[in-house]
Amino acid sequence: MDREQKRNEVAQLKGTFSTATSAVVLGFKGLTVDKDTAFRRNIREGKGQYRVAKNTLFRLAVQETGFASLGEHFKGATAVATSEGDVVALAKAVNTFLKDNPAASFKGAILD
C-alpha cells in the first residue's frame, strides 16, 4: 500500500467515524472467513458498517473525532463496527457474535 492509498483509506475511515454515532472495536484473531462474513452481514442488516484496516490508519482516522479515545485499543488484529443510527441493532449483533465466537474479543466501544 503506497502513501496515496493510505491517505485515501484514512480519509474514508475519517468520514465513517465523523458520521457514526457508535463504534465497537473488536479483536478477530482466529476467526474463520465464514463466521466473519456472517457477522458483516448482520452488521449491514442493522444499517452499520464493519471495517478491517491497519491499526495506524485507524488511529489517524479517529483523531479529531468523538472516537479519539478508542485509539489505545487499536493493537493486534482489529476490526471496527460502526453505526450511524440504531445503536441497539449494533450492540445486539456484536453481543451475538461474541457469544458464538470465543476467538473474537471485545476491545472497547463508544455508544450513542
Side-chain angles (χ1 to χ4, degrees), residues 52-78:
V52 175
K54 292 186 175 192
N55 292 322
T56 304
L57 301 181
F58 274 136
R59 277 190 221 104
L60 291 171
V62 296
Q63 290 176 357
E64 301 173 11
T65 69
F67 300 102
S69 62
L70 291 177
E72 67 190 50
H73 300 292
F74 297 128
K75 295 176 182 152
T78 304

Side-chain angles (χ1 to χ4, degrees), residues 40-58:
R40 285 177 189 266
R41 190 177 315 112
N42 288 341
I43 294 293
R44 276 190 229 116
E45 286 172 3
K47 307 293 186 224
Q49 292 184 6
Y50 178 79
R51 297 288 305 265
V52 175
K54 292 186 175 192
N55 292 322
T56 304
L57 301 181
F58 274 136

Side-chain angles (χ1 to χ4, degrees), residues 72-89:
E72 67 190 50
H73 300 292
F74 297 128
K75 295 176 182 152
T78 304
V80 176
T82 59
S83 176
E84 294 179 15
D86 191 5
V87 67
V88 175

Side-chain angles (χ1 to χ4, degrees), residues 4-5 10 18 25 32 34 36 41 55 57 100-101 111:
E4 188 61 33
Q5 289 173 321
V10 169
S18 66
V25 181
T32 65
D34 292 336
D36 189 56
R41 190 177 315 112
N55 292 322
L57 301 181
D100 295 343
N101 300 290
L111 303 174

